[in-house]
Amino acid sequence: MRPRIYLFGDSITEESFTDGGWGSSLANHFSRTMDVVLRGYSGYNTRWALKVVEKVFPPPERGGVPMAVTVFFGANDACLPDRCSSFQHVSVDEYRKNLHAIIAFLKKRWPSVRILLITPPPIDEDGRLQNPFVENESGLPERTNEAAGRYAKACLAVAAECGIPAVDLWTKMQQIPGWQKAYLRDGLHLNKGGQRVVFEEIILGLKGAGLSLETLPVDLPLIAEIDPKDPMKSFEN
Amino acid sequence: MRPRIYLFGDSITEESFTDGGWGSSLANHFSRTMDVVLRGYSGYNTRWALKVVEKVFPPPERGGVPMAVTVFFGANDACLPDRCSSFQHVSVDEYRKNLHAIIAFLKKRWPSVRILLITPPPIDEDGRLQNPFVENESGLPERTNEAAGRYAKACLAVAAECGIPAVDLWTKMQQIPGWQKAYLRDGLHLNKGGQRVVFEEIILGLKGAGLSLETLPVDLPLIAEIDPKDPMKSFEN
């Protein structure tokens, strides 16, 4: 059976197979080596994710043992408690506890699984206010970059406490001037530039955890390895 | 467990998760309903595919039962026997027999599985001659549209004989003037326009087989269904 990586997260994960999305880029990158399985749930915060995690991931006897899982929550937890998306808000303290519980669940279910935590991305507040998908008459963004940063920091702390790798997307994306429009479509979700950053950071994170094209076996002979004079020889064993 | 569809084929399948690829479009379309699992093997013809099919698809006790499989071969079988890619050539008669054997294998392994056959695409011979990836000093294309058409016809005949649906990509793509450059990147592989056609035809084919967003259950509550005043209620059962 081919190794498998689950992508577990919110809308930024659910949308990862759109044109140039980081999920499809991973599936393309690992096209002969690893299955990329989408488990993105738009709008979910860690409270809801923790509530459903047992339904999301089948036990080994029904679904085998995946090689890796990306856990990518926080953008919804970080909605401000007094603004228009407050029903998605989770306090940073509960966010930490929920992430710990999700990781504990995954480690218990599959002791060998590699977990890669991803922080929420930064927020472009101007982009949020222009976002037509949220009803917002207050004139104030329902998410702020400062709040997202606190959740990102908490996410990194959890990774350190658990001894697992993390992608600090919040910091990484803010390293270039104009990141607000270079990486984000509506102040929160990724455009093609942002999708690319997430893909590249995950590739680096997986490589650090020992998962790369150099280490994963290729499923069946590559065309370049097949002898044109005796193709069937490649399929003998 | 979420339903699963395997994409089984050659490079046109292996490349289906590139930007705007039909595989990633399927994964995005079915993001909350069905797993799209890539089993594309560049350069493979039906002879090689038949040889490896048992390794590609795990038995039910190890991998569960998929809901559907797309079988998309023929572009390599149709390489001409006297030109530069002749080692990939398989006669049209053997192609038919191999397709029959692959379908018989899949039906035996999973009696309930829906199989969707896809014909090879048409060939733009001019595009093939400009393709820098194949060493070809003869000045003659290694594939012709006429030959691809014979394999496409055979593929449709097999589908009819087996009573399974098929996408006649060869005919479909040639319905617009300029199809050669509108759909093909190098005379054989799909550009974004071609990827779109394959995606749309597969969606239609799956719908005909009863698989669509209207019939597949959604995995976990959608954000639009969650009551902002009492979100946890949605997760009670």
Side-chain angles (χ1 to χ4, degrees), chain A residues 26-205:
Chain A
L26 284 173
N28 187 50
H29 183 83
F30 292 116
S31 62
R32 288 288 284 274
T33 48
M34 189 153 66
D35 288 333
V36 179
V37 185
L38 181 57
R39 288 294 179 273
Y41 301 92
S42 281
Y44 280 41
N45 54 34
T46 53
R47 188 188 296 161
W48 307 351
L50 179 59
K51 185 82 185 168
V52 299
V53 68
E54 194 142 353
K55 286 187 188 167
V56 171
F57 298 112
E61 62 275 17
R62 284 201 298 130
V65 177
M67 194 155 271
V69 184
T70 60
V71 177
F72 190 175
F73 287 100
N76 297 314
D77 304 61
C79 286
L80 299 183
D82 55 354
R83 298 207 183 151
C84 66
S85 292
S86 61
F87 76 107
Q88 291 166 288
H89 168 78
V90 164
S91 75
V92 73
D93 195 50
E94 185 188 334
Y95 171 71
R96 279 178 75 128
K97 286 180 191 150
N98 291 340
L99 274 187
H100 265 293
I102 290 168
I103 292 163
F105 170 86
L106 296 173
K107 284 190 168 177
K108 192 178 170 198
R109 178 136 290 192
W110 310 300
S112 65
V113 77
R114 274 89 144 186
I115 302 165
L116 184 63
L117 270 182
I118 305 169
T119 77
I123 295 294
D124 165 28
E125 290 157 35
D126 169 65
R128 287 316 286 156
L129 287 174
Q130 287 166 35
N131 166 27
F133 293 104
V134 176
E135 256 187 68
N136 182 6
E137 289 173 357
S138 69
L140 296 168
E142 86 296 352
R143 290 166 171 89
T144 63
N145 193 38
E146 184 275 327
R150 279 186 287 121
Y151 289 75
K153 214 167 163 183
C155 176
L156 298 175
V158 170
E161 284 151 20
C162 296
I164 61 176
V167 170
D168 182 0
L169 200 60
W170 190 81
T171 301
K172 177 78 197 173
M173 284 194 161
Q174 293 182 76
Q175 285 173 348
I176 65 156
W179 58 267
Q180 293 89 338
K181 311 300 177 198
Y183 296 142
L184 302 173
R185 196 182 74 219
D186 57 5
L188 163 66
H189 296 98
L190 309 172
N191 63 18
K192 279 208 173 184
Q195 299 274 12
R196 188 79 207 165
V197 172
V198 174
F199 166 67
E200 287 170 355
E201 291 297 308
I202 292 179
I203 289 292
L204 281 177

